[in-house]
Amino acid sequence: MTRTLKSILAVTLAVASLALAAQAQGSKQKMKTGKESFGKLPDGTPVDLYTLTNANGIEMKVITYGGIVTSLKTPDRSGQSGDIVLGFDNLQGYLDKSPYFGALIGRYGNRIGNAQFTLNGKTYQLPKNDGDNTLHGGVKGFDKVVWNARPLPVKNGSALELTYVSKDGEEGFPGTLTVRVVYTLNDQNEWRIDYTATTDKPTVVNLTQHSYFNLAAGAAPNNLAHEVYLNADRFTPVAKGLIPTGELKAVKGTPMDFTKPMAIGAHIDDNYDQLQLAGGYDHNWVLNKTGNGMTLAARVVEPTSGRVLEVSTTEPGIQFYAGNFLDGTITGKGGKVYVKRYGFCLETQHYPDSPNKPSFPTTTLKPGQTYKTTTVYKFSAK
Ligand code: GLA
């Protein structure tokens, strides 16, 4: 072999092995869900942060405290990435005062009237953490516990499993509840949430996710220009304290009608009793469902960035909360002051106060049954 041939061969081999190494590294990175520390609770319990990514540059950060999504970066119509969720730069922010930013909610998302319910003849008293009612699982709901986390190997995107065992009697609820939530960020630009739970005594369960979105990613003064479509002909009107009356009311002819896309700000301050009672949109819409499968629940378009958020779910309802209680007293990520109606939530769920409303779809879970729901948030831009 001539010297030239030999050196050509050597160079070819070197290039080939470099390419192989890069490929291995690439697939490793694709498999990997990065983990780092996010600090410690006052009692020393460590909190970890996981980063999930997909093939199209979407990146989601999740902490083990509350299963909170602290950051979610998606591209706008020009491909510019921006963080579309509200939250804090550090753990202390979440510990000090957070209106459930980004958190997993349980055992019972939304309100239980008069902080009690009766199951099989026994009345359970719950903490009153919202006037006379129980909101989002009580004083220390699932948003304030540290979840066990484990990245799951998936072919398509990346996934994180979060598990938590809630003790019998925790926050007044009966039964040991074993909860598993899987967040998957897939290459179809979907954040899929699969919830499962089992119990050893009859209990009530209603799990949800409380991310606050602003699809303008910092470029808009509030959320009022977002155009919202809700696949719901009816909603559950509320009385004082935001407890449903039990009625399913038609949205037609009211400012609650989002069956055609409407800007959040178009009618939010109308002189309509439901809006006056809640200080804006903060209601459960009854989804138009055909069967128990996934239904498109909501589509939100932010006109300046072009970002679109679509929500599909197996759940029968969705709470559209317009961030009415944000009042500028919270400063979040990067020094951003969260003014009134800066972010909005789309919390897929069973209807509020179902344990006290026999006519609503049941939230009772019995031993031997598995609670199973799925919600997908899909991101795009137009
Ligand atoms: C839910 C409720 C709202 C409010 C927020 C948290 O979305 O429906 O009324 O309590 O949580 O501030």
Side-chain angles (χ1 to χ4, degrees):
M1 216 187 284
T2 65
R3 261 168 78 180
T4 350
L5 247 176
K6 259 189 197 165
S7 52
I8 288 174
L9 200 64
V11 169
T12 315
L13 277 174
V15 169
S17 64
L18 266 178
L20 271 177
Q23 207 184 345
Q25 177 76 9
S27 63
K28 227 192 199 162
Q29 268 170 1
K30 220 177 152 197
M31 288 287 294
K32 219 174 91 184
T33 300
K35 171 183 162 180
E36 57 200 279
S37 169
F38 198 65
K40 284 186 173 140
L41 297 187
D43 71 0
T45 308
V47 174
D48 295 326
L49 179 144
Y50 289 84
T51 304
L52 281 67
T53 53
N54 82 349
N56 308 315
I58 297 185
E59 182 206 76
M60 180 163 105
K61 291 184 183 286
V62 181
I63 57 170
T64 50
Y65 179 76
I68 292 171
V69 172
T70 59
S71 150
L72 179 54
K73 290 184 180 149
T74 71
D76 67 7
R77 69 161 70 87
S78 64
Q80 186 72 36
S81 180
D83 188 357
I84 60 164
V85 294
L86 278 55
F88 298 102
D89 287 321
N90 53 45
L91 183 59
Q92 201 54 47
Y94 292 100
L95 299 179
D96 285 348
K97 183 190 176 193
S98 173
Y100 308 94
F101 283 158
L104 280 177
I105 305 293
R107 293 187 189 192
Y108 198 94
N110 218 306
R111 294 173 174 81
I112 297 182
N114 208 18
Q116 61 175 40
F117 66 95
T118 303
L119 198 57
N120 300 331
K122 196 171 169 212
T123 297
Y124 295 92
Q125 195 60 55
L126 310 171
K128 294 185 177 177
N129 63 330
D130 189 52
D132 285 335
N133 309 316
T134 305
L135 175 66
H136 295 332
V139 174
K140 190 180 177 188
F142 293 177
D143 58 299
K144 294 181 189 68
V145 302
V146 176
W147 294 67
N148 291 312
R150 183 171 66 109
L152 292 182
V154 284
K155 284 201 207 86
N156 175 359
S158 43
L160 187 70
E161 175 195 65
L162 296 160
T163 53
Y164 177 67
V165 179
S166 173
K167 291 197 183 71
D168 184 13
E170 192 171 306
E171 295 298 301
F173 292 95
T176 310
L177 193 75
T178 304
V179 188
R180 178 177 187 257
V181 179
V182 178
Y183 288 164
T184 307
L185 179 63
N186 68 27
D187 295 338
Q188 283 70 53
N189 303 335
E190 293 172 339
W191 168 24
R192 182 186 166 105
I193 313 174
D194 291 291
Y195 304 85
T196 51
T198 53
T199 183
D200 62 358
K201 279 183 194 169
T203 191
V204 296
V205 193
N206 192 27
L207 306 176
T208 192
Q209 225 291 339
H210 210 298
S211 282
Y212 286 67
F213 297 96
N214 185 315
L215 304 180
N222 52 42
N223 64 27
L224 298 178
H226 287 73
E227 287 155 14
V228 175
Y229 159 78
L230 297 176
N231 181 18
D233 294 336
R234 293 170 300 170
F235 74 108
T236 50
V238 292
K240 214 169 146 263
L242 304 191
I243 301 299
T245 59
E247 187 196 349
L248 306 184
K249 192 176 159 64
V251 295
K252 210 176 160 82
T254 79
M256 314 304 273
D257 189 355
F258 286 92
T259 56
K260 290 188 191 71
M262 175 167 78
I264 297 179
H267 288 284
I268 196 168
D269 287 321
D270 279 13
N271 188 12
Y272 178 66
D273 67 332
Q274 287 296 315
L275 292 173
Q276 298 300 317
L277 265 169
Y281 296 113
D282 191 358
H283 298 77
N284 171 67
W285 271 258
V286 174
L287 295 173
N288 298 331
K289 293 207 66 114
T290 48
N292 295 324
M294 294 290 276
T295 308
L296 176 71
R299 183 185 297 116
V300 184
V301 179
E302 200 286 309
T304 50
S305 66
R307 285 195 185 84
V308 180
L309 169 66
E310 275 181 335
V311 189
S312 309
T313 186
T314 58
E315 289 278 25
I318 193 164
Q319 184 86 4
F320 167 42
Y321 168 55
N324 313 301
F325 296 127
L326 297 174
D327 60 2
T329 55
I330 295 177
T331 300
K333 284 180 276 186
K336 187 90 200 164
V337 174
Y338 294 142
V339 296
K340 184 170 177 178
R341 298 174 182 157
Y342 186 76
F344 63 90
C345 303
L346 288 166
E347 306 154 59
T348 56
Q349 60 181 8
H350 270 54
Y351 313 160
D353 200 32
S354 294
N356 295 309
K357 297 282 187 307
S359 63
F360 286 178
T362 184
T363 49
T364 303
L365 182 71
K366 296 179 189 140
Q369 296 178 326
T370 302
Y371 170 98
K372 207 169 177 301
T373 73
T374 298
T375 292
V376 171
Y377 293 92
K378 188 177 172 72
F379 312 104
S380 58
K382 66 171 197 184

